[in-house]
Amino acid sequence: MAGYTAPFWLVQRARIVLLAADGVMNVDIAQRLGVDVDTVCKWRKRFVAEGLAGLKDRPRSGRPRRFPAEVVAGVKAMACQPPAARQVADPLPWSRWSSAELAAQAVAEGLAVSVSASTVRRWLAEDAIRPWRHRSWIFPRDPDFAAKAARVLDLYERIWDDSPLGADEFVISADEKSQLQALSRCHPELAAGPGRVRRVEFEYERHGTLAYFGAYDVHRAQLIGRVAPKTGIVPFAELAEQVMTTEPYASAKRVFWIVDNGSSHNGQASVDRMRTAWPTATLVHLPVHASWLNQIEIVFSVLQRKVIKPVDFADLDALAARLTAFEPRYNAAARPFNWRFTRADLDDLIQRIDAHRAAPLLIPSSAVAA
């Protein structure tokens, strides 16, 4: 037994067992250690029956409940309501509860004579409902949501109009990332050290914004990008030209471009422009508010985390150089995403939408595992 680190009660019980092993009588053990003879007998019997585990305390039921179940339920119910919903004389001015505010309100409304914030916090932590947490959702409003989403998912499976794509047909996921700021910090960042996280200066100087256009081949895991002063039809057309004049797309039978409904490539007019400029290119629009189906958004997420943050660029040229250097590095190591949201998942989603048309529906923010 580690007598210098173990609790005194455990050391005392171990001493009883060790003295007994040396042949010392119970009366003498009790006298040496200053305990009752019955105590010596108890721990000797426990050790014989259970070994070292027998020297530990038995599980206990704990302190009796101080609060009736209806009080606990009342506080939890209160936590599930916005403060403004409480029918009180003086309307509560905040939008969400803290544990201290719940405790004070429970006392003010007579649910309990007194209750601490830590007790309320423990009640909520033990419950299945977490009212302080939330996830955003948006209800599909595109009347052709199912059809548009299905054809994009088919393209990810290399299928178009129920026919498999050939080796000379490609699928591009494209979009633009706008309003990328070139901010320079007023002081150099402080590197991480023992017991200290990396520190980035809060104050900064603005040096303007630019946009990044990206076209991602979902099956070859290759990114083609370009930097532009701002978004728009013209810079998107320049991205299309950059891709469609590069092999293997220049000699491809068909190249499908999956895009959202942003102003740079929105509506039938954008489809006509693409077809006129590049007869082998087909623009495929996602449903409205369905950018989560666009794989380029995953690439942009990587770019945001690994290239842009924390934002600290001397000028726009430095930001543009970093964005441009990202592409070859990414392409050298990239692998196609393990896309898991399939037509079967879409059918299940549509069924749930139809079954709960009047209720909020949480749409997944991501459907992949990289």
Side-chain angles (χ1 to χ4, degrees):
M1 287 288 178
Y4 290 100
T5 58
F8 174 77
W9 55 266
L10 185 58
V11 173
Q12 190 81 320
R13 295 168 192 175
R15 286 173 176 166
I16 291 173
V17 172
L18 292 173
L19 289 172
D22 290 338
V24 182
M25 301 296 293
N26 290 352
V27 175
D28 296 330
I29 295 175
Q31 186 175 6
R32 288 190 192 185
L33 300 180
V35 297
D36 190 86
V37 175
D38 291 338
T39 300
V40 176
C41 294
K42 171 184 175 180
W43 295 114
R44 288 189 63 176
K45 290 179 181 179
R46 287 268 192 96
F47 180 78
V48 170
E50 304 174 30
L52 288 175
L55 300 183
K56 297 180 180 180
D57 288 331
R58 304 288 195 203
R60 299 178 180 177
S61 60
R63 186 173 63 182
R65 286 178 176 268
R66 286 184 53 200
F67 297 93
E70 55 269 20
V71 173
V72 178
V75 172
K76 290 181 178 180
M78 186 188 302
C80 292
Q81 287 184 313
R86 303 303 295 178
Q87 300 296 322
V88 293
D90 187 15
L92 303 176
W94 46 81
S95 62
R96 57 187 299 179
W97 298 103
S98 69
S99 298
E101 290 160 352
L102 283 168
Q105 193 63 27
V107 173
E109 296 187 18
L111 284 175
V113 176
S114 68
V115 60
S116 67
S118 60
T119 298
V120 170
R121 193 178 304 115
R122 186 179 69 253
W123 291 346
L124 296 178
E126 294 171 349
D127 201 79
I129 299 176
R130 302 288 190 269
W132 58 91
R133 300 176 61 183
H134 76 278
R135 290 181 64 186
S136 299
W137 63 276
I138 186 168
F139 201 85
R141 65 178 179 85
D142 192 321
D144 299 320
F145 177 86
K148 291 180 179 179
R151 64 181 185 176
V152 169
L153 295 176
D154 281 349
L155 284 173
Y156 289 161
E157 296 290 334
R158 296 193 59 80
I159 296 172
W160 180 254
D161 287 342
D162 297 325
S163 299
L165 299 184
D168 57 350
E169 295 178 297
F170 302 91
V171 179
I172 299 291
S173 173
D175 200 5
E176 64 271 3
K177 193 170 178 62
S178 62
Q179 295 294 313
L180 296 177
Q181 298 187 74
L183 308 177
S184 61
R185 304 294 164 176
C186 295
H187 301 281
E189 69 176 52
L190 184 63
R196 183 189 68 219
V197 298
R198 175 186 180 190
R199 297 180 182 178
V200 178
E201 166 71 12
F202 177 79
E203 287 191 282
Y204 52 82
E205 295 180 5
R206 298 178 185 270
H207 302 290
T209 63
L210 49 74
Y212 180 79
F213 286 76
Y216 174 71
D217 187 322
V218 300
H219 300 119
R220 298 174 65 243
Q222 293 294 292
L223 172 67
I224 298 177
R226 65 184 296 111
V227 176
K230 59 182 180 180
T231 62
I233 294 174
V234 172
F236 182 76
E238 292 172 347
L239 174 69
E241 180 180 6
Q242 181 179 346
V243 173
M244 297 303 294
T245 55
T246 303
E247 292 295 348
Y249 315 107
S251 57
K253 177 183 178 181
R254 282 189 299 187
V255 181
F256 296 92
W257 285 69
I258 298 172
V259 296
D260 62 16
N261 296 274
S263 59
S264 300
H265 36 69
N266 185 31
Q268 183 61 39
S270 65
V271 176
D272 296 338
R273 283 194 302 270
M274 180 69 84
R275 184 183 297 114
T276 300
W278 309 102
T280 58
T282 301
L283 206 63
V284 180
H285 283 103
L286 291 157
V288 176
H289 296 322
S291 290
W292 54 276
L293 281 172
N294 205 352
Q295 291 197 25
I296 188 64
E297 298 297 340
I298 309 168
V299 180
F300 284 171
S301 175
V302 175
L303 184 144
Q304 179 72 22
R305 288 180 283 111
K306 296 183 68 66
V307 178
I308 298 175
K309 287 186 176 181
V311 181
D312 190 3
F313 301 97
D315 50 35
L316 284 175
D317 290 340
L319 174 56
R322 179 80 67 82
L323 291 168
T324 302
F326 168 73
E327 181 183 319
R329 293 273 186 169
Y330 180 83
N331 289 339
R335 298 290 183 273
F337 296 117
N338 182 17
W339 187 264
R340 296 181 179 178
F341 193 84
T342 65
R343 258 189 178 257
D345 298 306
L346 176 65
D347 292 341
D348 179 66
L349 177 62
I350 297 302
Q351 289 178 7
R352 287 188 284 121
I353 291 174
D354 292 340
H356 304 283
R357 177 60 64 174
L361 176 67
L362 185 66
I363 289 187
S365 59
S366 175
V368 302

